[in-house]
């Protein structure tokens, strides 16, 4: 679709009664050899879950299109109005790579890397958040429901409320929210807290994160709080609660059940020499994911003779991510070196213990990898949720396979039957890997059945409907002085 089609102009003038604001649009752009532009829905649970709600409510999605210095007019795609927000090259550097991913990202993930604090990054974060808020204020109809997503946009709720007090505003943080001691390092801590308090409902992955937020508001802003509610001096109140995000479990299972997925899973195992054990890691190449510790654990097991290099292969997929941020470049070099060293030290001709793939794959290939893996290794040092763990479970309709899961991934609160590990404890991780590899099918099946029940019952629709129900529900006026929703959302959850 070219930028000048009439559909685009129509989308620009229509007002939405449901608006999602996220750093990125839920579409990727393909430019053909003849220059024709095509937008494709990006894979991901969030857009799948919200699509039906958006279609029924004339929904709009506001987000960055991924390129520098390019203004694209709003357009309509597959039932949703898309409102692109432009970023200059300097804003990508300061707002996206800088404040979002080199300040907030490490700070919110237990400072596993050192967060950098730069005033010019903060200024860009404020300016870009303002742009998103202004775009949303224009796109939203009277009394619309607006849902702001994630750490890149924490100032938007307050900015938007100032522009449009009629809106019902929700915010959801996809990553962890740090304890008060770490959050306290942030020079702009009060502005962030006040930004979030512009929302009526602030959602987190885990109850502990919501509690951290309420405690911080009490300590740093001085507002009165009671349990999960913050009382603002203007009479408004804000609710802070946990809504653990999930996946489209039925869709993953359907993908896993396809005959072509089964055939591809068999082909993957064959091409590895049909080893007794296939271990798998699939992660964005991020320092929060615990790749170093995990690969070292596996390498040591082989070096110590506890695993025979002929019997086991570790496939590690590392999806390229944020490649212009220093810490990510350093990590890539470290992992390249570590994989080379382990394969060099303990490998044999034709027998590389680690198959390392620095690439991203379509969902069909991921499903085949999940089906091919006997042991899924998800060992982040800190993770908001980790949907890979849930995807693996959804794909194992055969009730086989074992999940080794970090206790510092949000998913560990729900997937209790996984082999849980402290990823910093390399000996403990080694023991868990051995336990998972040597467990009987019966034992793994017992664990997998329980985890599948959890994932199937708490899928992405469940997450979205829980959040939106809470957001649009009127509460006791003495307890939560929210304005009534005048345009209830049409939904089919
Ligand atoms: O987990 C947080 C998150 O921002 C996701 O929403 C996103 O899919 C992922 O990290 C990758 O982020 P980026 O937009 O920086 O590539």
């Amino acid at each position: 679709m070219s930028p000048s089609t009439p559909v685009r102009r129509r989308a620009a003038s229509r007002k939405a009664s449901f608006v999602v604001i996220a750093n990125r649009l839920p579409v990727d752009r393909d430019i053909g050899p003849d220059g024709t532009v095509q937008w494709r829905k990006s894979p991901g649970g969030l857009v799948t879950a919200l699509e039906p709600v958006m279609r029924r409510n004339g929904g709009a999605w506001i987000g960055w299109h991924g390129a520098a210095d390019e203004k694209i007019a709003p357009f309509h795609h597959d039932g949703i109005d898309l409102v692109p927000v432009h970023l200059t090259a300097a804003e990508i550097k300061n707002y996206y790579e800088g404040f979002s991913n080199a300040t907030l990202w490490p700070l919110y993930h237990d400072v596993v890397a050192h967060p950098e604090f730069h005033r010019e990054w903060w200024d860009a974060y404020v300016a870009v958040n303002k742009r998103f808020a202004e775009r949303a204020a224009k796109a939203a109809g009277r009394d619309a429901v607006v849902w702001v997503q994630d750490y890149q946009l924490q100032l938007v709720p307050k900015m938007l409320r100032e522009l449009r007090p009629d809106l019902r505003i929700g915010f959801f943080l996809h990553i962890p929210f740090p304890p008060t001691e770490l959050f306290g390092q942030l020079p702009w801590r009060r502005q962030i807290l006040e930004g979030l308090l512009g929302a009526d409902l602030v959602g987190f992955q885990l109850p502990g994160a919501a509690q951290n937020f309420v405690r911080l508001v009490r300590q740093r802003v001085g507002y009165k709080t009671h349990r999960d509610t913050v009382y603002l001096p203007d009479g408004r109140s804000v609710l802070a609660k946990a809504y653990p995000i999930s996946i489209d479990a039925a869709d993953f299972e359907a993908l896993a059940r396809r005959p072509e997925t089964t055939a591809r899973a068999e082909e993957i195992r064959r091409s590895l020499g049909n080893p007794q054990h296939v271990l798998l890691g699939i992660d964005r190449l991020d320092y929060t994911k615990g790749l170093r510790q995990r690969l070292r654990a596996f390498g040591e097991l082989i070096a110590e003779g506890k695993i025979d290099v002929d019997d086991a292969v570790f496939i590690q997929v590392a999806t390229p991510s944020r490649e212009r941020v220093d810490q990510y470049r350093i990590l890539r070099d470290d992992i390249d070196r570590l994989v080379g060293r382990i394969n060099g030290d303990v490998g044999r001709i034709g027998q590389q213990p680690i198959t390392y793939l620095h690439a991203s794959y379509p969902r069909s290939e991921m499903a085949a990898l999940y089906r091919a893996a006997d042991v899924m290794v998800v060992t982040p040092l800190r993770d908001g949720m980790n949907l890979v763990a849930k995807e693996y479970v959804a794909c194992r309709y055969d009730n086989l396979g074992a999940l080794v899961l970090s206790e510092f991934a949000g998913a560990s609160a729900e997937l209790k039957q996984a082999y849980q590990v402290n990823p910093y404890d390399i000996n403990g991780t080694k023991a868990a890997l051995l336990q998972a590899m040597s467990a009987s099918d019966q034992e793994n099946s017992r664990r997998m059945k329980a985890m599948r029940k959890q994932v199937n019952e708490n899928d992405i629709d469940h997450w979205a409907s829980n959040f939106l129900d809470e957001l649009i529900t009127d509460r006791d006026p003495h307890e939560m002085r929210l304005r009534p929703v005048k345009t209830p959302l049409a939904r089919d959850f």
Side-chain angles (χ1 to χ4, degrees):
M1 193 187 295
S2 89
S4 56
T5 53
V7 178
R8 281 173 183 272
R9 284 195 296 274
R10 209 171 55 236
S13 55
R14 193 164 44 202
K15 297 280 183 191
S17 50
F18 180 53
V19 178
V20 172
I21 316 177
N23 178 52
R24 287 187 191 267
L25 284 176
V27 287
D28 298 318
R29 182 167 43 175
D30 265 359
I31 304 180
D34 57 351
T36 49
V37 174
Q38 277 208 319
W39 294 93
R40 285 184 216 289
K41 196 178 94 180
S42 33
L46 188 61
V47 58
T48 314
L50 297 182
E51 229 173 14
V53 195
M54 302 203 94
R55 287 222 178 87
R56 274 179 198 79
N57 294 281
W61 188 303
I62 295 168
W64 174 43
H65 47 71
D69 294 313
E70 191 184 359
K71 288 194 177 165
I72 300 177
F75 62 101
H76 193 73
H77 180 272
D78 214 3
I80 306 179
D81 285 343
L82 298 175
V83 184
V85 174
H86 76 276
L87 295 182
T88 65
E91 284 165 348
I92 293 174
K93 185 166 166 281
N94 295 329
Y95 148 79
Y96 171 71
E97 293 161 2
F99 199 77
S100 297
N101 289 314
T103 305
L104 294 174
W105 182 267
L107 181 70
Y108 282 30
H109 287 86
D110 278 0
V111 299
V112 296
H114 182 66
E116 288 184 48
F117 303 114
H118 298 295
R119 284 164 286 183
E120 63 276 24
W121 289 3
W122 166 252
D123 293 343
Y125 187 80
V126 176
V128 171
N129 271 246
K130 188 153 173 273
R131 189 171 309 141
F132 273 86
E134 285 167 354
R135 217 43 66 80
K138 265 199 206 147
R142 174 123 207 104
D143 300 315
V145 171
V146 180
W147 194 356
V148 186
Q149 310 286 327
D150 228 354
Y151 63 103
Q152 302 94 343
L153 301 174
Q154 294 173 99
L155 304 178
V156 168
K158 177 168 188 249
M159 290 170 165
L160 185 56
R161 181 167 299 282
E162 280 165 6
L163 294 168
R164 291 288 307 274
D166 59 303
L167 301 176
R168 175 76 48 108
I169 303 170
F171 179 92
F172 184 77
L173 185 71
H174 292 248
I175 68 173
F177 192 76
T180 53
E181 295 76 7
L182 293 180
F183 189 83
Q185 290 182 9
L186 189 65
W188 307 278
R189 58 200 181 193
R190 188 174 171 126
Q191 289 95 315
I192 295 278
L193 295 171
E194 284 177 342
L196 292 170
L197 287 171
D200 298 296
L201 173 62
V202 185
F204 298 89
Q205 300 280 21
L206 297 177
Q211 285 153 15
N212 288 346
F213 173 71
V214 172
R215 192 172 308 128
L216 270 159
V217 167
R218 200 169 50 241
Q219 284 175 357
R220 299 283 177 196
V221 191
Y223 292 160
K224 194 168 157 261
T225 66
H226 179 62
R227 297 202 173 140
D228 52 13
T229 306
V230 177
Y231 298 91
L232 278 70
D234 66 1
R236 254 187 352 108
S237 49
V238 178
L239 192 61
K241 279 178 75 168
Y243 300 87
I245 200 169
S246 193
I247 56 163
D248 186 342
D251 195 55
F252 267 98
E253 176 165 342
L255 196 57
R257 282 182 182 273
R258 283 191 196 162
E260 42 294 20
T261 307
T262 308
R264 177 66 189 137
E266 282 163 4
E267 190 184 334
I268 290 170
R269 289 191 76 103
R270 235 187 347 266
S271 64
L272 296 168
N274 274 324
Q276 216 179 319
H277 306 281
V278 174
L279 295 90
L280 173 67
I282 300 184
D283 308 83
R284 267 186 321 100
L285 186 47
D286 194 297
Y287 50 78
T288 58
K289 302 292 183 183
L291 296 173
R292 294 185 180 99
Q293 290 82 348
R294 172 194 313 176
L295 294 175
R296 275 184 61 197
F298 180 68
E300 284 184 19
L301 285 173
I302 295 182
E304 290 161 6
K306 299 205 171 101
I307 296 178
D308 190 322
V309 74
D310 291 323
D311 290 346
V313 172
F314 199 118
I315 307 176
Q316 177 63 58
V317 175
T319 307
S321 182
R322 304 174 188 164
E323 291 183 291
R324 298 196 325 178
V325 179
D326 285 346
Q327 293 282 1
Y328 290 75
R329 280 194 212 156
I330 296 169
L331 176 72
R332 181 167 182 198
D333 290 346
D334 280 2
I335 298 296
D336 283 353
R337 260 196 305 272
L338 182 62
V339 170
R341 206 181 68 216
I342 296 171
N343 280 344
D345 283 351
V346 296
R348 284 206 283 270
I349 290 177
Q351 217 58 57
Q352 296 272 294
I354 300 172
T355 296
Y356 177 59
L357 304 159
H358 181 245
S360 57
Y361 291 101
R363 276 152 46 98
S364 52
E365 182 71 356
M366 306 265 276
L369 283 162
Y370 293 140
R371 290 284 317 279
D374 305 297
V375 181
M376 184 77 214
V377 189
V378 181
T379 52
L381 305 177
R382 177 59 73 194
D383 214 330
M385 177 52 60
N386 199 295
L387 297 179
V388 163
K390 293 188 174 181
E391 288 172 8
Y392 179 67
V393 168
C395 286
R396 296 316 301 235
Y397 62 87
D398 54 3
N399 289 322
L400 289 175
L403 175 64
V404 174
L405 180 62
S406 162
E407 58 191 63
F408 303 132
S412 70
E414 293 168 276
L415 304 179
K416 295 201 170 71
Q417 296 76 14
Y419 296 90
Q420 296 214 0
V421 295
N422 168 1
Y424 292 96
D425 173 4
I426 297 194
N427 284 347
T429 303
K430 284 158 71 179
L433 291 177
L434 286 179
Q435 195 191 350
M437 288 166 75
S438 59
S440 65
D441 282 356
Q442 215 180 3
E443 169 63 10
N444 281 337
S445 166
R446 183 189 65 75
R447 290 171 182 253
M448 188 55 79
K449 273 187 193 152
M451 292 192 288
R452 286 179 56 72
K453 184 164 184 291
Q454 161 66 34
V455 170
N456 285 327
E457 285 174 1
N458 297 286
D459 65 358
I460 185 83
D461 281 350
H462 182 85
W463 170 78
S465 66
N466 276 352
F467 186 95
L468 289 172
D469 280 346
E470 186 80 65
L471 180 60
I472 64 175
T473 301
D474 295 319
R475 294 175 193 89
D476 176 348
H478 301 294
E479 197 188 314
M480 288 276 305
R481 273 166 282 175
L482 278 180
R483 290 150 290 105
V485 164
K486 293 191 188 124
T487 11
L489 286 178
R491 296 182 298 114
D492 66 348
F493 291 128

